[in-house]
Amino acid sequence: MIKEVKNYPFSGIVGQEDMKKALLLNIINPSIGGVLIRGEKGTAKSTAVRAIADLVPSRQEIENCKFFCDPVKEDDWCNECIERFNRGEINVVQGRMRVVNLPISATEDRVVGTLDIENAIKTGEKKFEEGILAQANRNILYVDEVNLLEDHIVDLLLDSAAMGVNIIEREGISYSHPSRFILIGTMNPEEGDLRPQLVDRFGLVVDIVGERDVESRVKVMERRLAFEDNPLDFENRFKDDQRRLSEKIVRAKEILDSVTYDEDIIELIAKISIEIGVDGHRADITLLKTAITNVAYEGRSKVEKEDIIVGTRLALPHRMRRRPFEEESLDFNKIAEIIQEV
Amino acid sequence: MKCNILNYYPFAGIVGQDKAKKALILAAINPRIKGVLLAGEKGTAKSTMVRSLAEVAEKILVNLPLNITEDRLVGSISLNKTIKSSKMHFEEGLLKEADQNILYIDEVNLLSNQIVNILIQCISQGENIVERDGISYLHDLNTLLVASMNPEEGLVKKQFLDKFDIYVEVKGESRLNYRKEIMKRRLAFEASPRLFREVYREENLKLKRRILVARKLVNNIVIEKESLELAASLAKIAGCHGHRAEISTIEVAKAICAYDNRTEIRDEDIKEAANYTLPHRLGKNINMEEVKEQEAENENLDDEREGKDSNNISKSNIEENTRDLEGKGSEKAVNEVEKLDRIGESYENIKIGDIKGGRKKTQGNGKRSKVKTDLKKGRYIKYKRPNGDMEDIAVDATLRIAAVKQKNRKSLGSNIVVKNEDIRVKIREKRVGASILFLVDASGSMGSRQRMKAVKGAIFSLLTDAYQKRDKVGLVAFRKDHAEVLLEITRSVELAKKNLEEMKTGGKTPLAHGLAKAYDILKTEKRKNPQVLQYLVLVSDGKGNIGYKTESPLDDALLMAEKINYEGVNTLVIDTQNGYIEYPFARQIAEKMEGEYVKLGNISKEEIKEKVNELVKY
């Protein structure tokens, strides 16, 4: 279900710099692999996700395509678009990235799609009825309270997230369609942890707490009240900031492919991963991508050590090899040491 | 949009992972090798390797999605054709597609039991026999089964494990240069898959040809008796059950030989093969190191007996032998081997209800974590006739059953007439975790602080392990004159850290209060989640000396114990008394609860964890 409602402006969110950065970087470069936001209640998690959708630049889509296929990427087209192409019926329209919600009560059939019952009864024909994974293609899939999601639904998200495709073999249906989405999940760790396998699939993880100092807390309250009082006025207040941020995102996307990095950057990342002890290689790859994207976001052209630091903060903490009785915490001093050495 | 092979990462471009890559190649060479299981931490190219393999092996990769239903797996009635022609038409399932190709299961340890059983049967028989929905059908099944999994997330059923001829443990790369290379290549590939593939096209082609040549050679290999003896001997030393171990060793050895462009099997081939085929079949308390040593010794003895002038068997050359055994360039073999001991151990038969005096409520088919549920949550695995209630209808099954009967039914405007007798309902499978409530004596008796500390440590350890089983842990402590819930039953390590920071001790021992509190918590939880499996672990010396309802503390405690038992909670009493005189109280409570009892004088967190694990039979 997609609703149209006035969203709190992204630039109006107080503090939470890491979370905002993680979201922005993913919008600029979806291949980073999404964000998991962990934090106590009432810390603007959901607000931020909904808000980011308003900043996203418009993009091209194939008209009438249920999966919003990209006219430029033929390799990723769904079957119907391939057919459309063969019939010479490809029309391009402008669209925008949407936030698709996956509620925790979602059942499997609504997530992956299933047999179109109505159609089956009327025509006796097997037809596929798309689920949320279809709607999510080229969009943001937002799962609030992701740790409360049923295990096997989580398995399904994993499958699709990994391959960028949703393959359905159930209830008499055999079908597959593109399902490449930015996965954003939020959770409150006090309510239970998430399976390590799923956590690893998230490109970035951010742990947030409420603002601590009184000044910030007052600011948060003031703004929230003002927004609820008069959303339109509030929106105007941040109109310029929003516009600047939007432009920054557009520019970043443009220069993303031309960002460069030296051999010693790669070496540094590899060293950090080995020293810190991460599971697998996603950490390295994501760290590198995050650093690159950060460079683009800031309008620069080459990866520096500071970008690596941003990367380690966002891409590493949830990939540490878990040792019993030990806290899953990143030793930033150690990382600083390693960086100094190089 | 069947996974576009043009976008696959080229096999030749994969960095490191030599053992896994070789395993896959060997399996592609010899069709008699029935299955390859890649086990290891996340992000180690497991899935990538398999997808890339399809290209060099010139086979189609058939993915088995986790949510597959039986009908799509084995095949079923084609709804369309059947209705149109009023005759039964069979539509082939995934298994037919997989015949002569590769069947790939990612995260195989998460596959539903139902599907696993079907796979076991079909692979054993080498054919898929379909008897369902009024259809009778059969086809061959010669497929290369490849599966990947992360052992952290749960293990695979023993019978299923045995179906895999080859087992390879996959780890992250710790060599700096390799690690750098992995990053570079991944980014280059993502930037342009086509260009990247072009770079490795030559190498990939060479590999493809080599595999083809080897495939032909494999059929010409002659097996001498000595080879069979060596294989059998290795399997015996390794303590493998059944004979699949040695048979797979021979088949893998053949592939090794063929890949090396030979037709005469050598002893090294057999030994190298054993590295692939034995690790997941080791008997209890045996590890690969021992196997190799023992075998080297045996060879020595044989040679001495025969007075053979062998060029590589002598006491001083045992080390060399061992290196040979490990295969070329597989330095990680030793580490892999040690870790594999754990796998051997975990496969003890897990039987619930084996608890002393256990007539406890148990659920499921012997595997604690999976329960067929009647609620609408959980994976749809099968269907059945409804028992009065028509809830949770399995539409596909219903329609299929109705489809066949259309001929004799008058159409009422729609193309298919469904009657009550056709209706089938879904059977769902859900993972059910355990709820473990600790009830700890925090009174001033001896060793109280140490007790609390040990329990806290055990709780953290259990929670850390809890992911794969979705278990929850809670803690109630009793002292002075009441019981306090220190930790609500939770899965969260964070919460445990927060709440168990400081735990006070001292005062009298209100045991009955503690039991009463525990009873309340467990009862409430059961109301919310009727399917949950509940465990109570009481850590105390049983000397409750504050009365609850009556003046007699012990009687009160026994009364509560009885109530807890009645609720079907599985219990364990850890008796911590340490004095010269042995008091029977804790034991009496254990008896009343019809649960386990163990006496640990000075308890440690490891011991507690061990006992709890036994109780819950992880």
Side-chain angles (χ1 to χ4, degrees), chain A residues 31 74-79 82 107-109 112 115 117 120-126 146-152 154-156 158-159 162-178 189-198 200-201 261 263 265-267 269-271 273-274 278-285 288-289 292 318-328, chain B residues 1-4 6-7 17 41-44 47 51 63-69 71-72 78-80 83-84 91 94 97 106-107 110 150 152-153 171-177 179-184 186-188 190 194 376-380 394-396 399-400 413-416 418 426 428-431 456-458 460-461 464 467-468 470 490-495 497-498 605-606 609:
Chain A
S31 81
E74 305 116 37
D75 289 340
D76 291 341
W77 281 356
C78 63
N79 289 331
I82 295 177
T107 50
E108 200 171 321
D109 55 302
V112 294
L115 181 65
I117 299 174
I121 294 183
K122 282 205 191 119
T123 67
E125 256 169 30
K126 256 188 327 191
V146 66
N147 52 334
L148 299 182
L149 206 57
E150 266 199 70
D151 272 2
H152 73 283
V154 160
D155 293 340
L156 294 172
L158 272 179
D159 272 1
M163 300 200 289
V165 189
N166 176 24
I167 300 179
I168 300 126
E169 300 280 358
R170 54 182 282 115
E171 298 185 313
I173 298 276
S174 181
Y175 191 81
S176 64
H177 67 76
E190 281 186 13
E191 300 207 22
D193 294 316
L194 200 56
R195 275 172 52 200
Q197 190 79 355
L198 186 58
D200 184 55
R201 299 272 192 208
Y261 48 94
E263 181 76 16
I265 291 290
I266 306 243
E267 175 133 350
I269 293 176
K271 274 208 180 119
S273 291
I274 296 175
V278 298
D279 265 346
H281 297 277
R282 283 207 187 88
D284 307 14
I285 296 168
L288 183 54
K289 287 188 198 171
I292 294 172
H318 57 303
R319 295 190 164 108
M320 312 270 290
R321 202 159 286 140
R322 258 192 123 88
R323 291 176 203 86
F325 307 120
E326 267 178 40
E327 303 235 349
E328 184 205 85
Chain B
M1 200 202 125
K2 286 288 179 195
C3 296
N4 202 348
L6 293 174
N7 284 337
Q17 303 300 358
E41 59 192 44
K42 27 195 171 349
T44 42
S47 308
R51 286 187 211 123
N63 266 288
L64 190 87
L66 286 179
N67 62 344
I68 194 171
T69 43
D71 59 293
R72 275 307 299 148
S78 159
L79 211 54
N80 288 1
I83 291 178
K84 290 202 176 118
E91 183 155 9
L94 222 61
E97 267 184 73
D106 194 8
E107 306 230 66
L110 301 178
N150 184 340
E152 270 178 34
E153 291 246 299
K171 290 209 331 228
E173 182 60 67
S174 55
R175 295 171 286 191
L176 189 64
N177 288 331
R179 234 186 146 96
K180 282 160 66 176
E181 193 60 27
I182 291 175
M183 259 188 278
K184 287 189 204 165
R186 184 71 209 174
L187 259 74
E190 288 188 16
R194 288 218 193 121
K376 262 201 196 155
K377 289 182 138 201
R379 202 156 34 175
Y380 165 31
V395 178
D396 58 315
L399 288 177
R400 274 199 296 270
S414 51
N415 271 14
I416 174 167
V418 179
K426 291 182 180 174
R428 293 178 182 272
E429 171 194 83
K430 184 181 170 162
R431 263 165 219 278
K456 176 177 169 181
F460 279 131
S461 181
T464 308
Y467 293 125
Q468 36 173 302
R470 287 314 223 181
T490 179
R491 232 181 273 155
S492 168
V493 185
E494 294 305 312
L495 201 58
K497 275 189 212 144
K498 208 164 123 187
K605 61 184 180 234
E606 288 85 20
K609 185 165 180 221

Side-chain angles (χ1 to χ4, degrees), chain B residues 102-166:
Chain B
I102 303 175
L103 182 61
Y104 176 46
I105 313 176
D106 194 8
E107 306 230 66
V108 67
N109 47 337
L110 301 178
L111 209 54
S112 95
N113 244 353
Q114 187 67 16
I115 301 293
V116 166
N117 288 336
I118 296 175
L119 285 171
I120 291 178
Q121 190 171 69
C122 293
I123 293 171
S124 310
Q125 295 169 345
E127 58 189 6
N128 174 24
I129 304 177
V130 183
E131 299 283 356
R132 55 184 286 127
D133 299 337
I135 286 267
S136 202
Y137 188 82
L138 160 82
H139 69 76
D140 282 339
L141 184 61
N142 288 313
T143 180
L144 168 53
L145 176 64
V146 184
S148 59
M149 66 179 238
N150 184 340
E152 270 178 34
E153 291 246 299
L155 302 160
V156 163
K157 182 151 116 162
K158 204 172 184 180
Q159 297 99 296
F160 199 30
L161 190 65
D162 195 51
K163 295 300 159 202
F164 291 95
D165 286 337
I166 296 179

Side-chain angles (χ1 to χ4, degrees), chain B residues 38 53 72 105 114 183 338 359 396 398 415 421 469 562:
Chain B
L38 303 174
L53 173 72
R72 275 307 299 148
I105 313 176
Q114 187 67 16
M183 259 188 278
E338 276 155 32
R359 49 141 199 79
D396 58 315
T398 305
N415 271 14
E421 68 204 48
K469 291 125 200 153
E562 197 173 333

Side-chain angles (χ1 to χ4, degrees), chain B residues 11 74 104 182 222 257 306 376 539:
Chain B
F11 197 86
V74 301
Y104 176 46
I182 291 175
V222 173
C257 183
E306 291 177 27
K376 262 201 196 155
V539 186

Side-chain angles (χ1 to χ4, degrees), chain A residues 235-266:
Chain A
E235 200 186 28
N236 279 332
R237 200 167 130 189
F238 290 96
K239 204 164 55 145
D240 284 338
D241 288 330
Q242 291 281 90
R243 188 179 39 84
R244 266 193 293 260
L245 197 46
S246 267
E247 283 166 12
K248 211 170 168 187
I249 293 176
V250 171
R251 261 190 310 239
K253 276 179 175 260
E254 281 165 13
I255 64 174
L256 184 63
D257 283 339
S258 52
V259 173
T260 60
Y261 48 94
D262 285 337
E263 181 76 16
D264 43 290
I265 291 290
I266 306 243

Side-chain angles (χ1 to χ4, degrees), chain B residues 282-287 290 341 344-345:
Chain B
L282 296 171
K284 221 174 147 178
N285 298 326
I286 301 179
N287 61 46
E290 290 173 19
D341 290 353
E345 280 160 21

Side-chain angles (χ1 to χ4, degrees), chain A residues 53 67 69-70 76 93 100 121 126 129 137 154 170 180 194 204 207 221 251 267 278 324 336 340:
Chain A
F67 312 105
C69 283
D70 188 343
D76 291 341
V93 290
V100 176
I121 294 183
K126 256 188 327 191
E129 182 169 357
N137 188 43
V154 160
R170 54 182 282 115
R180 214 174 272 284
L194 200 56
L204 311 178
D207 288 304
M221 272 190 285
R251 261 190 310 239
E267 175 133 350
V278 298
Q340 295 292 27

